[in-house]
Structure formats: structure tokens, C-alpha cells
């Protein structure tokens, strides 16, 4: 009847903090899977290390909770050994783009047939709120106490440039859109990358003027610019607001695929 | 079907109070045994999914369930002949 059957119910409630967006992203991913008629025995979840990476442990299928940054490397191995499996990776921004950055771009380049869902909370949540490669300029973290001065990575742009077949970005506010995007990612052969911006009230929100969990959700809602609207602004030559991020389907193409189902 | 919050899972983040188009979830007042303030349900029979999910054979709306980070929101079957209130929103 619903995606609830995919949870390891004995493991719930999970360890995420109250209001942590990771739980929402797990819901959306499982709701998308539920529509795919995938068998639990043919589906594998892989993740690295981090709060977000604990997600695979709450799902009833076979799963791998691997070493920090190496989720995609393990997932590549699983998929190449048995291309009939459906391989889904849960990862965090630090896991994916800092220590695992090389695995990420090379998986995009190879266009291996896996789906990566990145819960981008713009900080290292698990280890106490250090700045990550996606911490926006000016944001406070325990390693950037006067505000981050570095330019952040745009993970989706990175995936497009490196060659992923499907790329889209949504937030934990856009649950229905995210569910649809993940489903399209599953259906698209090749590397599918779904970036989900999430709130981390404990490590990020607390330091960055989001007193309530919902404040950060409201912020994400107000600062997301739909891809279609962005395209219209660019076409008409109007200025694009600099404090907003683009959400929607950013790439959907047919580059040659590695490890596709025979 | 009836809307229900699982007390063993809810962590009281109140995100559900932000997403329901009918504002069925309202911030609660009293902490439970674990010290968590569960949201209260305001006339939950108005929820589209309670009324129509069997008729349509799928989940309708369901945004609160997808949003709830703690998998605490679900629907349970009524007891046979359980008295029900009918609320219609115009
Ligand atoms: C090789 C190695 N280096 C460093 C760490 C410490 N470490 C654990 S989790 C983490 C960051 C996780 O951040 P992210 O992937 O963004 O996940 P989040 O906790 O924010 O969801 C780090 C640096 C580790 N476990 N292993
Ligand atoms: S530290 Fe942040 S990312 Fe980790 S569980 Fe808590 S809210 Fe979620
Ligand atoms: S969203 Fe879920 S965990 Fe948060 S208050 Fe509502 S029922 Fe509880
Ligand atoms: S399913 Fe929709 S209408 Fe029903 S309680 Fe949840 S958010 Fe409200």
C-alpha cells in the first residue's frame, strides 16, 4: 500500500535530530521506489559516513554503510558485478564533494547506471558543524567562525559538467517534486544525481539565524528559483537574483551508459 | 481511515504544522512522558486522504507524511461501526 514497508521498523525512530531534513529525503526516495516495481531483493542502498549516510541502515533491503567518501566507489563495484541490481546511493555534501569528490566526478564521467541522492545540508553535521565544500559564503560554522570566505561548490553544475545523464535539485520543502525527480532519476539509464537541500537545525540552523526548524524551510522555499523561471529571466535579459538557487530538472540527456541492465 | 501520530516516533519538530493545506496539525501544548510536545490534530476527518484513499486506491495529498522527518504520521483503519464526525470544508 505505501512506502512504509521499506523501512526497518525495528530501527525506528532513527537517530537524526528533531527536525533534521534527512528523514524527509528518505521518505521521498522510498515513495519514488514504491512506484517503480522494484523488488526488495534486487535493490541495494549504499552510503558513506555522515548523518545523511546513516539512511541506508534504516531501509530493509541489502545495504552497505561504507567508509567516508567511498559510497560511489562501492556502488560502482556492486553495479559492475551485477548490473541487474538497482543501486541507490545516499550521501552528504561532505561525503560526496569533499573526501569523495573524485569518485563523484569519475562516476559522472563513466555515467554508471546508479542513482545518487545527496542530502546537502551545507555543513558537516555528524562531526560538529565544520564548514563543507558547499557552505555558502558568509555562513557560520565551527571552522568558519567569522563567516565562510570560500566560494561553494554547485554540486549539480559539477555533475552536469562531469557528464551525468540526469541531474535535478530540490529541497526538503518540495517533497512531491523531489519524489518525482528521484523517480525520473531511477528511470533514466546512466548516472542520475539528485541534490536535495536539507535543513540541519543542530549544526547549521542554530549558527545561522534559523531559530526554528521551520525558519530554514521557509528560507529554502523563498529562495528557490524554478528552472523554467530562471530560463525566462535569462532569455528576456532580466537580472537573475543572486541570493537564490535554481531548483528543477537541470539535465536530462542520453550519453553512453556503463553498467546498464542487460 | 483515521490520521494518527505515532508517539514513539514523533520528535515534536512541528514541520507538519506548516505543510497541511487544511492546517490540521496544530502546535501542541503539553509534553508527553518523553518530554516531547506532540502536535494536536484539529478536526482530522477533513484530511483528503482519510476520506478518499480507499475510493481512489492510492494516497491522496500525503504531504504531511512525506515531510515528517520521523515517519510518525500514518493512517489507521477505524473500528467497525466506530462513530465518525463528518466535517466538510467549503
Ligand atoms: C577518512 C575519514 N575522515 C574523516 C572522518 C570524519 N567524518 C565523519 S562524518 C564527516 C563529515 C560528514 O559530512 P556530510 O557528508 O556533509 O554529512 P552530514 O553529517 O552533514 O549529513 C567527517 C569529516 C571519517 N569518518 N573518516
Ligand atoms: S547534526 Fe544535522 S544532519 Fe546530523 S542529524 Fe542533526 S540535524 Fe541532521
Ligand atoms: S513532522 Fe512528524 S516528527 Fe515533526 S511534529 Fe509533526 S508528526 Fe512529529
Ligand atoms: S494528507 Fe494532506 S490534507 Fe491530509 S493531513 Fe496530511 S497534509 Fe493535511
Amino acid at each position: 500500500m505505501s512506502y512504509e514497508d521499506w523501512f526497518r521498523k525495528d530501527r525506528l525512530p532513527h537517530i537524526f535530530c528533531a527536525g533534521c531534513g534527512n528523514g524527509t529525503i528518505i521518505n521521498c526516495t522510498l515513495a519514488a521506489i514504491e512506484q517503480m516495481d522494484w523488488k526488495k531483493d534486487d535493490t541495494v542502498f549504499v552510503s558513506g559516513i555522515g548523518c545523511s549516510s546513516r539512511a541506508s541502515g534504516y531501509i530493509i533491503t541489502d545495504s552497505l554503510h561504507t567508509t567516508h567518501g567511498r559510497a560511489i566507489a562501492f556502488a560502482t563495484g556492486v553495479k559492475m558485478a551485477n548490473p541487474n541490481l538497482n543501486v541507490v546511493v545516499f550521501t552528504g555534501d561532505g561525503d560526496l564533494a569533499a573526501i569523495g569528490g573524485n569518485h563523484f566526478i569519475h562516476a559522472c564521467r563513466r555515467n554508471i547506471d546508479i542513482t545518487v541522492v545527496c542530502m546537502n545540508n551545507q555543513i558537516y553535521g555528524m562531526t560538529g558543524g565544520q564548514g563543507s565544500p558547499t557552505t555558502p559564503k558568509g555562513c557560520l560554522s565551527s571552522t568558519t567562525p567569522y563567516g565562510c570566505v570560500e566560494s561553494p561548490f554547485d554540486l549539480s553544475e559539477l555533475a552536469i559538467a562531469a557528464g551525468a545523464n540526469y541531474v535535478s535539485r530540490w529541497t526538503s520543502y518540495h517533497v512531491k517534486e523531489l519524489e518525482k525527480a528521484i523517480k525520473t532519476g531511477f528511470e533514466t539509464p546512466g548516472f542520475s544525481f539528485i541534490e536535495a537541500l536539507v535543513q540541519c537545525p543542530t549544526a547549521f540552523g542554530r549558527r545561522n539565524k534559523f531559530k526554528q526548524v521551520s525558519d530554514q524551510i521557509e528560507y529554502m522555499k523563498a529562495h528557490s528559483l524554478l528552472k523554467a523561471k530562471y530560463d525566462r529571466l535569462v532569455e528576456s535579459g532580466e537580472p537573475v537574483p543572486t541570493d537564490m538557487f535554481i531548483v528543477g530538472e537541470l539535465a536530462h540527456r542520453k550519453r553512453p551508459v556503463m553498467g546498464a541492465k542487460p | 481511515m483515521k490520521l494518527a501520530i505515532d508517539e514513539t516516533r514523533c520528535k515534536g519538530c512541528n514541520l507538519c504544522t506548516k505543510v497541511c493545506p487544511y492546517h490540521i496539525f496544530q502546535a501542541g501544548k503539553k509534553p508527553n512522558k518523553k518530554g516531547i510536545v506532540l502536535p494536536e490534530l484539529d478536526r482530522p476527518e477533513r484530511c483528503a486522504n482519510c476520506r478518499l484513499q480507499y475510493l481512489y486506491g492510492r494516497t491522496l495529498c500525503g504531504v504531511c507524511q512525506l515531510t515528517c522527518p520521523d515517519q510518525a504520521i500514518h493512517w489507521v483503519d477505524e473500528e467497525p461501526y466506530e462513530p465518525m464526525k463528518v466535517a466538510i470544508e467549503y
Side-chain angles (χ1 to χ4, degrees):
Chain A
M1 176 83 202
S2 89
Y3 63 85
E4 287 165 85
D5 305 337
W6 287 75
F7 281 104
R8 286 187 193 163
K9 295 215 173 71
D10 55 328
R11 292 301 188 100
L12 295 176
H14 50 58
I15 61 149
F16 302 142
C17 311
C20 172
N22 294 347
T24 308
I25 309 306
I26 304 178
N27 292 344
C28 296
T29 309
L30 295 184
I33 281 194
E34 180 66 21
Q35 300 167 29
M36 289 296 294
D37 81 355
W38 285 3
K39 292 204 180 62
K40 294 188 177 97
D41 285 345
D42 301 335
T43 306
V44 180
F45 283 87
V46 187
S47 62
I49 297 291
C51 298
S52 38
S53 296
R54 291 193 59 99
S56 58
Y58 297 111
I59 299 170
I60 199 145
T61 65
D62 285 337
S63 54
L64 281 166
H65 190 185
T66 69
T67 47
H68 194 30
R70 314 294 170 219
I72 291 179
F74 280 84
T76 304
V78 172
K79 187 69 183 176
M80 292 316 287
N82 185 356
N84 285 312
L85 295 175
N86 308 305
V87 182
V88 185
V89 174
F90 279 127
T91 183
D93 47 312
D95 196 55
L96 181 84
I99 189 166
N102 252 305
H103 296 301
F104 177 41
I105 53 174
H106 288 287
C108 293
R109 173 180 65 80
R110 292 177 179 135
N111 213 2
I112 176 139
D113 188 21
I114 60 177
T115 301
V116 175
V117 180
C118 176
M119 307 174 190
N120 180 2
N121 54 12
Q122 308 180 318
I123 203 138
Y124 289 175
M126 179 170 266
T127 44
Q130 295 82 358
S132 88
T134 57
T135 305
K137 262 195 177 165
C139 285
L140 303 188
S141 70
S142 64
T143 48
T144 57
Y146 303 106
C148 183
V149 289
E150 302 166 10
S151 293
F153 255 151
D154 182 328
L155 299 180
S156 295
E157 287 296 331
L158 191 61
I160 297 170
N165 255 2
Y166 180 79
V167 179
S168 82
R169 170 166 43 215
W170 291 101
T171 75
S172 54
Y173 169 74
H174 302 95
V175 284
K176 285 279 175 189
E177 292 90 338
L178 181 64
E179 179 190 322
K180 276 202 201 97
I182 297 175
K183 179 163 179 268
T184 317
F186 290 154
E187 286 164 350
T188 310
F191 194 88
S192 303
F193 178 66
I194 292 101
E195 178 183 356
L197 287 158
V198 294
Q199 71 278 16
C200 166
T202 305
F204 189 88
R206 185 165 61 88
R207 291 191 176 87
N208 290 286
K209 296 192 185 141
F210 299 121
K211 285 235 163 61
Q212 302 291 328
V213 179
S214 52
D215 295 348
Q216 198 171 350
I217 300 262
E218 295 286 344
Y219 178 89
M220 290 194 287
K221 179 181 167 189
H223 289 79
S224 42
L225 180 65
L226 284 174
K227 173 84 166 71
K229 179 146 188 227
Y230 169 80
D231 289 344
R232 253 183 282 135
L233 288 178
V234 172
E235 210 174 294
S236 64
E238 283 172 62
V240 178
T242 47
D243 60 340
M244 293 176 88
F245 50 86
I246 305 166
V247 295
E249 187 175 286
L250 305 173
H252 197 170
R253 54 192 172 186
K254 292 198 176 83
R255 286 184 64 247
V257 172
M258 196 172 114
K261 280 188 195 178
Chain B
M1 302 211 90
K2 275 194 305 194
L3 190 61
I5 298 177
D6 186 340
E7 275 218 36
T8 62
R9 293 190 187 167
C10 173
K11 292 181 190 152
C13 67
N14 276 341
L15 286 181
C16 49
T17 65
K18 301 284 167 193
V19 297
C20 175
Y22 298 109
H23 302 286
I24 286 174
F25 299 88
Q26 300 284 337
K29 289 176 202 83
K30 269 204 223 106
N32 69 1
K33 277 196 292 268
K34 290 198 287 181
I36 289 165
V37 185
L38 256 61
E40 283 161 10
L41 299 177
D42 172 26
R43 289 166 290 154
E45 57 280 2
R46 292 177 299 157
C47 163
N49 201 37
C50 290
R51 292 182 276 121
L52 301 172
Q53 70 171 290
Y54 274 145
L55 189 65
Y56 283 74
R58 62 182 168 87
T59 305
L60 290 128
C61 181
V63 171
C64 55
Q65 192 187 32
L66 274 182
T67 304
C68 174
D70 289 284
Q71 293 78 38
I73 298 174
H74 58 148
W75 285 269
V76 290
D77 280 313
E78 284 111 352
E79 305 289 316
Y81 305 113
E82 186 177 329
M84 269 191 276
K85 265 207 290 192
V86 179
I88 299 167
E89 287 270 291
Y90 295 102

